[in-house]
Structure formats: structure tokens, C-alpha cells
Amino acid sequence: YVHSQVFPDIFLTEWKLENWKRTDVNQADVAALMASLIGVPFPMNSVGILPLEYLNNTDHFKAECMLANAIEILEQYKVKMAQKKATTLDILFTPFKPLTNSRQLDFLRSARLYIKQQKYDEAITVCRTLIDLALEGLSYYHTYDRFFLGVSVVLGFVGWTSYIIVMIIKNHTSFCKPASQIDKLSNDPFRGTFIVAGVLITCFLLIQASPWTYYIYCLLPVPVWYAVMRECRRTQGIVILVTANPFCQSFGLLLLFALGIEIMVLSFFYRSVLTLGLIAFAGWPLFTKLWTQTRVMTVCWIVLCLLLAVFPLMPVVGRKQNISLVLSSGLVTFLIASLCLRLLSKSKDKSTDKKYFVAFTYQMLCVALSTYILNSTHSSLELKQGLPLANQLISWGILASSFVVPLLSETLLFQRLLSIFLSLMSTYLLLSTGYEAFFPLVLSCLMFVWIVVEQETLSHHGSSPVQKLVTFDFSCALDITQLRHLQLDDIRRSFFFIFFIVTAFFGTGNIASINSFDPASVYCFLTVFNPFVMGALMMWKILIPFVLVSCAFEAIQLSSLLSSKSLFLIVLVISDIMALHFFFLVKDYGSWLDIGTSISHYVIVMSMTIFLMLLSVFVQVLTTKRVYLWGKPKHHCL
């Protein structure tokens, strides 16, 4: 019984146990506690420390249990030390000095002597000290090769990123030396050096009997760095360009780039950090010529960025439903679609075939129908009447048609993007239960404005002064003579894309909210528990914002006269830098939640490149392909 105690959580207050002494226990200590309570030996690989506060027994029993606990952990320490010593050269092996063989014997002898003299408190103290040193030694030998392997992994990351940068400079900029000049230079002087380095590393690993994974970690950087050194002579022009710029300007750009990377990394832990980034995005046009060029688009950009910045501040999507917000989102979407359709019908250039307005009309009908079905389904469930069969069939029909109907529209830039937005939005409404229904709406509007703003930026720099956005066609491949070289502003475009991708993931949720999603989100499709179907529907709901951002990025690549490969390589560099950052944040201590979360973050960023590649293929099909129901008309690309 205690008068006061302070803990960071509110468990004591909720259970009204403020005056009872609270004794927390580590997860690993439970095994040792249970073994002592039932009178069995401690588990073989347990690293738990016996919590004596939970034992109501004699001091002699507690001392003997602590001695057994210490001996069990000490044996693990001995086995780990022997294993590491057997696979390490004698001249390179460094033992754990605080717990040598002589000190081990001293600790055990002192503990047994204190128990024999009935000095149980002293014996428990000696055992605790021995356990702490043994655990520290176990961690020492567990991480014995961490620095060696960490350096190898970092060299691989840095080498791979450097190679991508070299390829960008070589193939997509004007700073590369002509091949004829390279051929006149001396033969490759690096081949022999890297071959010798690879042989030496292999021999070293063979002598130490290292596992096969060590060969991958240590040998992979060798060919990567060889490729970098072989190509770096062609990119000496970029060094001259960097040194020619003022130091303050180069340092400021590098600082802004690093700050942007840190904001995206922190967003994996704190969603609200994305709000700061979006506020910074809102102020970006004010520091450029956009404010004087196109004030309407600039104001729209600022307003939409600030609206999108609100979502990371809101609670993650959970079990709290608010159908009225979903209905409001459906109404706003229908009004925006009606306005866009009216503008397209009154277009002076008449570039849109009237026969295909029926596809847009059908998509608007799907948005209105989705709103009605959502309201009808939840009202029926509240009245305990179940899911109406008609609602279920129409919901699945809308979902299936959302993959086909966009292919019926014209491949002109704005017409195809509007069709994709309406199809995806109708499905998203059926899967929404609260404020998240507004998220793809605001995000899509921001993506449309982003496309226009980027075109205005290019016009200001003189990169694309002729062709208008309304004339771009997704299905028309750009002539290689029309493609331009990369500029410094293209790094910003790629960074915007990565930031919007991260915002699409963490805008309304996080990893924990995905693992514990609300089943009410799929009630328009089924109410009987089916984990595979439910999981697939929820994954598609998560992917819809990614598809919207990727479609906008595809349009920017087309309108900015860049090959998709060039901007994707910049995206790859940014994602690799983030992956290296998360590599240093991986934990092997703490709770299973902390360890699992750190590994999940690293895996997500490492998988981002593959995910974006697959997403790019899907988006290219969604934007460039077209299905003709009324006969294929003649079509000429400008």
C-alpha cells in the first residue's frame, strides 16, 4: 500500500488502484518467474531476470533461484563466446573483458559462500551483478560483427546510390563527356584492383568459416563500386558545375533536400510531421515567379495544400463512423464532376468526342449511386435488416466497372485523369466510414493543380512554351528528339512525388490502423466474415490514393517532355537514401512492438522501389490504353 506513485499511463486511474504498489515486469522475465513458481528448471535460451518482488517465499529460496538464474544465463554467454571464437581469427578476436573466466569463478564462488553463510541479500546482489554482466556479454557477442557488416551494407547502399546518380548524369544530362574522348583515355585501371579486393575478401571469409550471407553483404559492394569508378570519368562536368556555383547556394539546396528527407522519415513515426511539409509546400509558389504568372492556380495550390495538411492531424481511421461526412464527400464529388463535364462540353476546340460523354455520365451516376447505397446499407444494418442484395450486387458492379470504364474515355490528359478520378472515387466512397472520404477528393484536386503549376513552371524556364496541356495525349509516345535533359527543378518534382506518396499512405492512417481496420468499411460488399475478400478490399482502398498520385506524376512526365526512366531514377535515389536512414533505426532491443515496427519501416521503404515500379506499369495501362465500343476512329498524335 502506497500513498502516491507516478506512471506515464492511466491504467492505475482507470482501475482505481492508485494506492496499491505497482510492480511492472518485462516480457522476458515472465518465463523465469513461471519456472520458479512451478519448480522447474529455467528455459534453455531464456534471458529473463527473476522478479523477486512477485515471490512470497524464504530468502534462502530466493537466493538459490537467483543463483540458478545466473548460472543459466552465464552458460548462454559461454556458448556464444565459444561459437564466436571458433569463427574468428585469433589475432582478430577480442573477448568481453568485464567477464573473463577468472571473474566468472569469483562471482559463483562468492554467491555460494554468501548462501552458505546465510547472507542472502549479498548473494542476491552478486547474482544480479553476474546476470547483468552476462547479458551485456551476450549482447556483445551477438553484435560482434555488427560494425563489420554494417560498414559493408552502408558501402553497398552508397555505392548503389552513387551508380544511379552516375547513370542519371551520363544518360539524362549534358554534363557527360563524349564517348570518343573516353576511348582515347588509358585502359581501365580499376579492374585489377577490384578483382584483387574481391579475392582477398573471399579468402578472409573462407578462413573465418563465415555464413553465406556474409559473402553477399561483403562482396556485393565490390562490383557496384567498380561500375561507379569506371563511369565516373565521364561525369567530371558535374563537378565543375557544382564548384562554379556559390557555396551558400549549393549548401542551402543540400540542406533543404536533407530537411525534406528527414520530414518524410519522421512521418513514419509522427503523422503530424506531414502537416509541416504540406505547409511548406503551400508557401513554395510565393518564392517563385508563379505568383505573378498565375495567381488563380497559386491560390488554389495554397488552399488545397492547407486542406490536405489537416488530415495528418486527425485521428487515424478507426471504428468511429460518421456517414454524413461520406455523403457530403459524395455530393461535393458529384458537383465537381458536373462542373468539369460542363466545361468539357463547352470546350472551343471540341477535342472530346461527343459519343464518349456517355462514359462520363455513367461515372457520375456511379458516384451518386455509391453515395445512396452507402447510406441505404448502413441504415439497413442499423435496423438489423442486414445487407440488401440489390445494394451488394450494385456495389460489386461499381467496383468491377471502375477498372474498365476509364479505358472507354479519350486518352487526352485531362479527360482520362477525370475519368480515372471518378471511377476510383465511386469505389472509395463505398469503402469509407468517416472523414477519410474527403481525402482522395482533396488529394485529386491538388494533383490536378500540381499538373498545371508544373506546366507553368516549365513555361517560365522556357522548356515547353508551345504545347498546351489540353493537347497532350497519353497514348502518343514522345519522339526521342523532343525529350529534354534533366534540370535541377526535376529533383524537386521527384521529391514532391515521393512526399505525396508518403502522404497517401499516412494521410488517414498508419501501420497499426491497417492491421486493425474497421469491418464496417466493407459492409457495402459483404457482412459475413471473409478475411481474404475483406483484406483485398481494404488493400484496394489503401492503393487508390497511390494510383491518383502516380497518374498525376505520369501526366507531369508527359507534359514536361521527360522520359519516365529519368524521373524514376531520381525517385530511386531518394528512396535509397530513406532506406539507408531506416537501416540505422532498426532496433534489436525493447518490446516486440518496437522491434517489429522498426523492421516494418525498413522493409516498407526498401520495398518502395519495387512497389512504385509495379504501380507505374499499372498506371501506364490505365492512362494509355483505350477500349473502343463504337469502332476505332482515326487518330493522329500531335
Side-chain angles (χ1 to χ4, degrees):
Y1 188 83
V2 294
H3 293 287
S4 63
Q5 49 187 342
V6 179
F7 286 92
D9 52 57
I10 58 173
F11 295 142
L12 292 175
T13 305
E14 290 180 345
W15 291 85
K16 298 179 180 180
L17 299 173
E18 299 93 333
N19 296 327
W20 291 92
K21 183 180 179 181
R22 170 174 164 179
T23 305
D24 290 346
V25 60
N26 294 324
Q27 190 174 7
D29 299 343
V30 176
L33 175 62
M34 297 304 296
S36 63
L37 289 176
I38 63 178
V40 298
F42 289 98
M44 181 181 297
N45 294 317
S46 173
V47 292
I49 303 175
L50 179 62
L52 297 179
E53 297 84 357
Y54 288 89
L55 294 180
N56 184 15
N57 213 315
T58 62
D59 292 340
H60 179 264
F61 178 81
K62 294 180 180 180
E64 290 287 354
C65 288
M66 284 300 297
L67 179 59
N69 193 185
I71 293 174
E72 180 264 335
I73 296 178
L74 182 61
E75 288 300 319
Q76 293 186 63
Y77 165 79
K78 292 179 180 179
V79 170
K80 193 63 183 179
M81 180 180 65
Q83 291 176 350
K84 187 53 60 180
K85 189 174 183 180
T87 58
T88 307
L89 296 175
D90 293 337
I91 58 175
L92 299 178
F93 181 72
T94 305
F96 183 64
K97 296 180 180 179
L99 195 57
T100 59
N101 292 334
S102 58
R103 291 209 65 188
Q104 297 174 27
L105 295 175
D106 291 340
F107 276 116
L108 294 176
R109 190 181 302 112
S110 299
R112 290 192 177 98
L113 181 61
Y114 282 134
I115 293 175
K116 187 177 180 179
Q117 296 175 353
Q118 298 184 358
K119 297 180 179 180
Y120 302 120
D121 291 339
E122 289 81 353
I124 291 174
T125 302
V126 171
C127 291
R128 285 188 183 276
T129 305
L130 177 58
I131 289 174
D132 292 338
L133 289 174
L135 291 175
E136 187 179 347
L138 268 175
S139 177
Y140 173 79
Y141 287 118
H142 271 301
T143 60
Y144 191 83
D145 295 328
R146 171 175 291 182
F147 179 77
F148 171 67
L149 295 176
V151 170
S152 299
V153 173
V154 170
L155 285 176
F157 264 112
V158 176
W160 172 247
T161 306
S162 302
Y163 179 73
I164 298 173
I165 295 174
V166 168
M167 288 297 101
I168 292 174
I169 297 172
K170 175 185 174 182
N171 300 324
H172 302 284
T173 66
S174 58
F175 305 113
C176 183
K177 287 185 177 182
S180 58
Q181 297 182 13
I182 300 299
D183 295 336
K184 296 179 181 179
L185 297 176
S186 59
N187 293 329
D188 188 359
F190 301 108
R191 181 179 301 174
T193 303
F194 281 94
I195 290 176
V196 172
V199 172
L200 291 176
I201 292 173
T202 304
C203 294
F204 176 75
L205 295 176
L206 284 173
I207 293 173
Q208 294 209 127
S210 301
W212 63 271
T213 52
Y214 281 38
Y215 291 87
I216 299 177
Y217 296 141
C218 299
L219 291 177
L220 191 59
V222 176
V224 173
W225 277 104
Y226 169 68
V228 173
M229 298 303 296
R230 186 181 60 182
E231 299 289 346
C232 67
R233 293 176 298 169
R234 297 190 181 187
T235 58
Q236 295 175 359
I238 193 66
V239 178
I240 299 174
L241 178 68
V242 172
T243 54
N245 286 335
F247 174 77
C248 295
Q249 180 181 357
S250 301
F251 180 76
L253 293 175
L254 183 62
L255 186 63
L256 284 176
F257 182 76
L259 182 61
I261 294 291
E262 288 300 317
I263 288 177
M264 288 192 290
V265 170
L266 285 175
S267 67
F268 279 71
F269 303 95
Y270 311 101
R271 293 173 54 240
S272 57
V273 176
L274 291 173
T275 300
L276 299 178
L278 290 169
I279 292 175
F281 280 13
W284 162 66
L286 302 178
F287 297 94
T288 63
K289 300 293 185 180
L290 290 172
W291 177 249
T292 57
Q293 281 183 273
T294 169
R295 296 200 174 188
V296 175
M297 285 294 106
T298 301
V299 172
C300 292
W301 169 268
I302 294 173
V303 171
L304 290 171
C305 281
L306 294 179
L307 285 176
L308 194 64
V310 175
F311 289 94
L313 297 177
M314 303 182 73
V316 296
V317 177
R319 299 183 180 276
K320 194 172 183 180
Q321 301 181 21
N322 193 335
I323 303 301
S324 59
L325 289 177
V326 184
L327 301 180
S328 301
S329 175
L331 178 60
V332 175
T333 303
F334 185 83
L335 293 177
I336 292 176
S338 302
L339 178 62
C340 294
L341 191 62
R342 184 177 180 84
L343 292 176
L344 286 175
S345 62
K346 291 186 176 182
S347 178
K348 292 182 179 180
D349 55 7
K350 304 294 181 183
S351 58
T352 304
D353 194 336
K354 297 296 183 181
K355 292 187 296 182
Y356 294 98
F357 273 98
V358 64
F360 293 110
T361 306
Y362 170 77
Q363 290 175 311
M364 292 176 58
L365 179 63
C366 286
V367 172
L369 205 57
S370 297
T371 307
Y372 169 76
I373 289 175
L374 180 76
N375 184 45
S376 173
T377 299
H378 283 271
S379 299
S380 178
L381 293 175
E382 287 180 358
L383 297 174
K384 307 298 182 181
Q385 296 177 356
L387 172 61
L389 180 60
N391 290 8
Q392 186 179 20
L393 293 176
I394 295 175
S395 297
W396 283 106
I398 292 174
L399 174 62
S401 64
S402 65
F403 295 97
V404 180
V405 177
L407 303 179
L408 300 177
S409 64
E410 293 191 359
T411 54
L412 292 174
L413 190 144
F414 280 116
Q415 283 88 327
R416 177 53 65 93
L417 291 181
L418 177 61
S419 179
I420 293 172
F421 162 68
L422 292 177
S423 292
L424 297 180
M425 193 63 195
S426 60
T427 303
Y428 200 92
L429 288 171
L430 293 172
L431 294 169
S432 299
T433 59
Y435 75 89
E436 78 273 14
F438 278 99
F439 181 72
L441 175 61
V442 177
L443 182 64
S444 300
C445 294
L446 181 59
M447 293 299 100
F448 275 99
V449 175
W450 184 31
I451 296 170
V452 177
V453 167
E454 290 294 354
Q455 187 70 6
E456 292 294 334
T457 304
L458 286 171
S459 301
H460 170 68
H461 290 293
S463 300
S464 180
V466 180
Q467 195 169 357
K468 296 181 180 181
L469 275 175
V470 293
T471 62
F472 279 102
D473 194 323
F474 280 113
S475 62
C476 296
L478 290 174
D479 187 4
I480 192 171
T481 58
Q482 294 179 318
L483 299 178
R484 63 176 179 84
H485 289 302
L486 286 173
Q487 301 173 354
L488 190 62
D489 218 26
D490 295 318
I491 300 177
R492 177 193 55 77
R493 294 185 180 92
S494 301
F495 175 79
F496 275 21
F497 171 63
I498 291 291
F499 190 91
F500 286 133
I501 285 290
V502 174
T503 304
F505 186 73
F506 291 108
T508 59
N510 52 26
I511 297 175
S513 65
I514 295 173
N515 294 333
S516 58
F517 67 90
D518 185 6
S521 300
V522 297
Y523 281 169
C524 291
F525 297 89
L526 73 166
T527 54
V528 179
F529 182 73
N530 189 328
F532 296 104
V533 177
M534 288 181 171
L537 290 172
M538 290 307 302
M539 284 303 300
W540 180 236
K541 178 184 178 182
I542 295 170
L543 289 175
I544 285 176
F546 291 109
V547 175
L548 294 173
V549 175
S550 297
C551 288
F553 192 59
E554 186 76 16
I556 289 173
Q557 289 178 353
L558 177 68
S559 62
S560 59
L561 302 179
L562 282 172
S563 66
S564 58
K565 183 179 178 181
S566 58
L567 282 181
F568 184 79
L569 287 176
I570 300 177
V571 171
L572 187 59
V573 170
I574 297 174
S575 62
D576 284 342
I577 294 174
M578 291 178 62
L580 182 60
H581 199 302
F582 279 106
F583 171 74
F584 290 106
L585 296 178
V586 173
K587 294 182 179 180
D588 61 351
Y589 60 89
S591 66
W592 288 112
L593 177 62
D594 296 336
I595 296 173
T597 301
S598 66
I599 296 174
S600 299
H601 289 164
Y602 176 67
V603 172
I604 288 173
V605 178
M606 284 293 294
S607 305
M608 183 183 294
T609 302
I610 301 175
F611 169 72
L612 292 179
M613 288 177 61
L614 297 176
L615 188 63
S616 175
V617 173
F618 175 73
V619 166
Q620 284 185 0
V621 173
L622 200 60
T623 54
T624 60
K625 303 301 179 183
R626 185 175 178 184
V627 177
Y628 296 93
L629 298 180
W630 301 280
K632 187 173 181 179
K634 294 182 179 180
H635 184 68
H636 301 282
C637 296
L638 295 178

